[in-house]
Amino acid sequence: RAPRAVARAVAHDGAARAVGVSGRGQGDPLANRKAEETATALVTSLAGGVEAVADLKLGGPLGISTGRVRPKRSGHWRSHRGLRDVVVNLKALRDLYVHMSDGAGSALTDTDEDGLVRILFDQVIKDAGSLGPSMSDLLKTDKGIHWAKALHGGLKDLRETMVLNTAEALGLV
């Protein structure tokens, strides 16, 4: 009897989960949008993500807005993982961009604009990875602040290039 009760409980739980999963797309704000609106939302999200990495993860410790270097504003400054997290964030944003540009029927597929954005993503990821895992340690070195500012500028350039080229290729401007 116990195995039947367990089987019934599992079947009931599985049916309840299936009903829950089937209704999940109903509340999705992108589910009923036109393709152009969805593309605009994706480009905006990508640009916002790159800008957040530049301004929050690099700009704060660099003192871009205050004019004073503040290494403790770096994420994970005690564990010395701030720059490692920048690399992880940039890889995730690059993957999102790649999936968007390679999507079925995407106007970006195999264009020069797409290639340029991919090169820029790869370059800033390589640059961030070469600086080590810790923003605090980087800012203690003589040239560290200059390297971090160069990476910040590279991210700003990536964002601008991505927005201009992607929006143009998708017909959003």
Side-chain angles (χ1 to χ4, degrees), residues 114-169:
D114 178 49
L116 177 61
V117 173
R118 288 178 190 231
I119 288 169
L120 289 174
F121 259 118
D122 291 341
Q123 187 61 51
V124 294
I125 290 169
K126 179 182 169 195
D127 291 347
S130 71
L131 297 177
S134 171
M135 177 66 91
S136 302
D137 292 345
L138 177 67
L139 295 177
K140 289 177 187 173
T141 65
D142 292 336
K143 294 184 179 179
I145 192 165
H146 301 294
W147 286 111
K149 282 184 177 180
L151 178 59
H152 183 265
L155 287 172
K156 292 294 192 176
D157 291 344
L158 167 63
R159 181 196 174 281
E160 184 177 331
T161 302
M162 183 177 57
V163 168
L164 291 174
N165 289 337
T166 304
E168 186 176 317

Side-chain angles (χ1 to χ4, degrees), residues 18 31-32 60 84-85 101-102 113 117 164 169:
N32 297 319
R84 181 192 64 107
D85 290 348
S101 69
D102 287 347
E113 292 84 0
V117 173
L164 291 174

